[in-house]
Amino acid sequence: MSTPPPPGIYVPVPTFFQSKKSATYNAIASPVDIDTQVAHSIYLAKAGTKGLVILGSTGEAIHLTNKERFNVLSGVRRAFDHEGFKDYPIIAGTATQNIEETVDQLKNAKEAGAQWGLCLVPGYFAGANSQEGIIQWFTAVADQSPIPVMIYHYPGVSNNVKVVPSTYVTLAKHPNIVGCKLSHGDISVHAQIASNPSIDHSKFHTFTGLGQQLLPAISIGVVGAIDGCAGFFPETVVKLYELSIKNQPADEEIKKRRSLQYKLSSMEEIIVKFGTVGIKEAISRLRGLGDPDGTRLPLFRGIPGGEREWSKWKGVVDSMEAEENGA
């Protein structure tokens, strides 16, 4: 059974290229600077970070050839082994759109010494992407990958493609999909994944890609961050992580607060989707006050779809109502 990367702070490292001072400098595509890559990687390992993401978005993966990718990964792996960091985690990024090439990069990453792959959600046809298409894409990749893979959702570089929480629930069941990196600021979506009772969080770890929300993210079940600032202030970011997990309340209290946040975040989606109309609909149906049709133009009647749409919310509404009645 595949295992996820351990909790903690990971660094999405940049790829270093030779400077103008180098005899082999090329203004269009200068060669990679393995020596600097290694020096930076060792510095980060000694500073207490848990692992590295190499060749992610920060690492300009799309700017490198497959040979360069291998040289960077294998160079860092050899340096870690030589410096006494034999089992130090390396997560290799992929950013290609097609399944075959993604799998090839994952195979090369394993050969180079990486233990996990971080696969960017394909977003070229984001407007036409269906959740089922995303599920099948990742399933095909994970079925063929020789190393465990993680879902990398970074809308900013993926044409604003959307991945809904239920898609993570489905993909988390795959034995070779072991986690995700969420590089967006929607903390509610983080909660709907990291605190979701339908996911086995011992086998699927949720990481935030934003250190600026590390403390609140930890409180809802996120296990760590893959954070760019840790590339130059590693000890400070690690310190924040350690303080965030220190003196946590009793297990039952943690479970309860995460359960409540998950339910609330899920319920709030009706407001995200329908705004004031959704609020009025819920108040009318649940508390018998007002009429969801009672709006002023340009708002028009209740939620689109009426009873059929409302029925889709039954599960989360019932769970919130149970909490309300037992509060």
Side-chain angles (χ1 to χ4, degrees), residues 151-307:
I151 304 159
Y152 180 21
H153 188 202
Y154 185 4
V157 299
S158 296
N159 204 13
N160 288 316
V161 65
K162 187 175 182 64
V163 183
V164 300
S166 61
T167 294
Y168 293 93
V169 174
T170 299
L171 289 173
K173 293 180 172 64
H174 194 290
N176 208 32
I177 298 178
V178 296
C180 63
K181 177 190 178 185
L182 307 177
S183 290
H184 57 72
D186 194 333
I187 200 70
S188 176
V189 169
H190 283 65
Q192 291 175 67
I193 299 168
S195 295
N196 196 315
S198 298
I199 293 175
D200 184 346
H201 298 289
S202 68
K203 299 176 181 176
F204 186 91
H205 284 173
T206 302
F207 292 85
T208 180
L210 303 176
Q212 55 265 52
Q213 59 190 30
L214 176 59
L215 177 59
I218 290 292
S219 72
I220 54 170
V222 167
V223 302
I226 301 173
D227 174 58
C229 194
F232 46 94
F233 281 121
E235 295 189 33
T236 300
V237 180
V238 169
K239 184 187 298 182
L240 173 58
Y241 168 76
E242 291 174 344
L243 289 171
S244 299
I245 62 173
K246 188 178 180 182
N247 297 326
Q248 292 270 19
D251 285 347
E252 287 306 311
E253 186 176 338
I254 290 177
K255 290 179 182 177
K256 184 60 178 177
R257 72 183 186 185
R258 289 180 181 170
S259 173
L260 288 174
Q261 184 61 68
Y262 167 73
K263 292 175 181 179
L264 177 58
S265 291
S266 298
M267 191 69 256
E268 292 280 357
E269 289 297 308
I270 198 169
I271 303 173
V272 172
K273 188 172 184 179
F274 299 116
T276 297
V277 172
I279 294 173
K280 282 191 172 184
E281 186 88 29
I283 292 172
S284 175
R285 287 179 179 270
L286 298 174
R287 304 296 163 242
L289 297 171
D291 187 332
D293 289 349
T295 58
R296 283 186 175 176
L297 295 174
L299 299 182
F300 186 64
R301 298 182 179 174
I303 58 174
E307 197 67 41

Side-chain angles (χ1 to χ4, degrees), residues 55 65-67 69-70 73 92-114 116-117 119 137 140-147 149:
L55 305 173
T65 66
N66 284 342
K67 181 179 179 181
R69 292 169 58 86
F70 182 86
L73 286 168
T94 74
T96 181
Q97 302 280 307
N98 73 75
I99 293 167
E100 184 177 4
E101 187 175 4
T102 300
V103 171
D104 283 344
Q105 290 188 359
L106 291 166
K107 289 177 179 178
N108 289 337
K110 176 180 173 60
E111 185 181 351
W116 292 274
C119 300
W137 190 93
V141 168
D143 283 347
Q144 301 173 69
S145 175
I147 54 177
V149 299

